[in-house]
Amino acid sequence: MTALEKATGDVVLKFEPFVLHVLCQELQDAQLLHSVAIDSGFRNSGITVGRGGKIMMAVRSTHCLEVPLSHKGKLMVSEEYIEFLIHVANRKMEENT
């Protein structure tokens, strides 16, 4: 709270979830891993094929959190709400594990 009170710009609480990048030799391997990831609840997972043919599978969850707290130095939410957000972010971190 002390840091927020001293902020002069915009402050955002941001939580980004687990991401696992897997380099795959074959597209079929990436597709299989993608299916397993989606079926396991990692709904933001995807496959990228680079210009050089490099096949990258990314396993990503949907546990994102991005909440503005202040704007131009003015606190936009209550201390109680910030405590709630911290609880939510910590719970998401536990889910990551």
Side-chain angles (χ1 to χ4, degrees), residues 19-36:
V19 177
L20 173 67
H21 290 100
V22 180
L23 183 62
C24 300
Q25 279 189 317
E26 303 290 331
L27 183 58
Q28 295 84 354
D29 299 332
Q31 290 170 327
L32 177 61
L33 182 56
H34 182 259
S35 295
V36 170

Side-chain angles (χ1 to χ4, degrees), residues 6-73:
K6 293 179 182 178
T8 58
D10 295 352
V11 176
V12 176
L13 174 70
K14 186 172 185 176
F15 174 83
E16 293 186 357
F18 161 84
V19 177
L20 173 67
H21 290 100
V22 180
L23 183 62
C24 300
Q25 279 189 317
E26 303 290 331
L27 183 58
Q28 295 84 354
D29 299 332
Q31 290 170 327
L32 177 61
L33 182 56
H34 182 259
S35 295
V36 170
I38 296 294
D39 291 345
S40 297
F42 294 97
R43 292 183 290 274
N44 282 350
S45 298
I47 300 170
T48 304
V49 179
R51 283 184 230 156
K54 185 165 91 171
I55 303 165
M56 186 68 66
M57 166 55 202
V59 180
R60 292 185 290 256
S61 74
T62 58
H63 296 101
C64 297
L65 179 67
E66 187 170 353
V67 183
L69 302 177
S70 70
H71 180 64
K72 296 182 181 177

Side-chain angles (χ1 to χ4, degrees), residues 52-97:
K54 185 165 91 171
I55 303 165
M56 186 68 66
M57 166 55 202
V59 180
R60 292 185 290 256
S61 74
T62 58
H63 296 101
C64 297
L65 179 67
E66 187 170 353
V67 183
L69 302 177
S70 70
H71 180 64
K72 296 182 181 177
K74 180 182 178 200
L75 189 60
M76 304 301 289
V77 297
S78 70
E79 184 173 348
E80 179 182 3
Y81 185 65
I82 292 170
E83 290 173 8
F84 168 74
L85 288 174
I86 290 169
H87 174 75
V88 169
N90 285 336
R91 203 170 56 231
K92 288 178 181 292
M93 181 62 82
E94 290 172 9
E95 290 175 20
N96 262 341
T97 303

